[in-house]
């Protein structure tokens, strides 16, 4: 299934909560990526008030090769000194992310807060810059509209 296709929640087996940190809002570069996966059954069977068991996680810091805006550094607690010895976003990062997602029980849905306007386009652009693509069978969802609806 591709990003453009629709899937119902009943078809999804793995939920991956995704967040990234960037150098700021002006021409953002990734400074940190976090993926936390939960099997749908754990999510549905968790007791009220209990967080479902995270079964897999991936967290990576990235050297953005660009000055981090002061406000972004304040929010993320990451600055250029912290990241100077980290690797840049390269083909290895793409391979690691793809391998992480490919290991999970399909279908996989990646969920990000404000993902459609921020996280997913930035990640997709970095993959494109490396002349790679995210696995084609990954679904994406944005949690922001859900929270707006709940308000």
């Amino acid at each position: 299934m591709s990003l453009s296709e629709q899937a119902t929640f009943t078809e999804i087996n793995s939920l991956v909560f995704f967040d990234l940190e960037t150098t700021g809002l002006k021409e953002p570069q990734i400074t940190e990526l976090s993926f936390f996966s939960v099997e749908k059954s754990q999510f549905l069977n968790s007791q009220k008030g209990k967080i479902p068991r995270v079964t897999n996680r991936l967290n990576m810091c990235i050297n953005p090769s660009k000055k981090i805006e002061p406000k972004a550094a304040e929010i993320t607690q990451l600055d250029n000194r912290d990241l100077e010895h980290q690797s840049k976003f390269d083909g290895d990062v793409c391979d690691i992310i793809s391998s992480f997602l490919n290991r999970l029980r399909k279908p996989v849905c990646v969920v990000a807060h404000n993902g459609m306007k921020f996280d997913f386009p930035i990640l997709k652009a970095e993959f494109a810059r490396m002349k790679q693509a995210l696995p084609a069978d990954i679904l994406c969802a944005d949690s922001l509209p859900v929270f707006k609806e709940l308000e």
Side-chain angles (χ1 to χ4, degrees):
M1 286 178 249
S2 70
L3 178 61
S4 61
E5 293 180 49
Q6 297 294 319
T8 64
F9 184 70
T10 57
E11 296 170 326
I12 295 167
N13 284 310
S14 298
L15 295 164
V16 179
F17 298 95
F18 167 56
D19 188 34
L20 57 80
E21 304 299 343
T22 66
T23 53
L25 297 176
K26 186 176 180 182
E27 299 178 24
Q29 296 292 312
I30 296 171
T31 57
E32 185 176 26
L33 296 157
S34 296
F35 295 86
F36 296 87
S37 76
V38 176
E39 288 196 18
K40 182 181 76 175
S41 61
Q42 295 231 355
F43 190 79
L44 292 175
N45 296 329
S46 64
Q47 296 176 357
K48 188 175 182 173
K50 286 190 79 174
I51 298 172
R53 174 69 165 94
V54 172
T55 52
N56 293 283
R57 53 181 71 93
L58 172 65
N59 193 81
M60 300 176 70
C61 285
I62 308 289
N63 183 338
S65 303
K66 176 185 173 178
K67 179 100 172 93
I68 298 172
E69 295 172 21
K71 186 66 174 173
E74 179 184 327
I75 292 169
T76 66
Q77 299 297 301
L78 288 172
D79 61 31
N80 291 94
R81 282 188 319 267
D82 296 327
L83 301 173
E84 68 183 334
H85 298 293
Q86 297 295 316
S87 298
K88 293 174 174 51
F89 195 104
D90 58 13
D92 288 341
V93 174
C94 294
D95 293 343
I96 290 167
I97 293 168
S98 293
S99 293
F100 176 83
L101 294 171
N102 284 330
R103 293 184 70 246
L104 303 174
R105 191 166 161 230
K106 307 284 187 202
V108 173
C109 182
V110 179
V111 181
H113 200 67
N114 199 25
M116 294 305 184
K117 291 185 179 176
F118 193 75
D119 299 67
F120 297 136
I122 292 170
L123 183 62
K124 190 175 175 182
E126 287 291 351
F127 266 75
R129 192 172 62 80
M130 293 295 113
K131 298 181 177 28
Q132 294 195 36
L134 287 161
D137 58 351
I138 300 297
L139 300 164
C140 297
D142 190 332
S143 61
L144 184 60
V146 174
F147 282 90
K148 284 184 175 181
E149 187 69 28
L150 292 174
E151 287 181 351

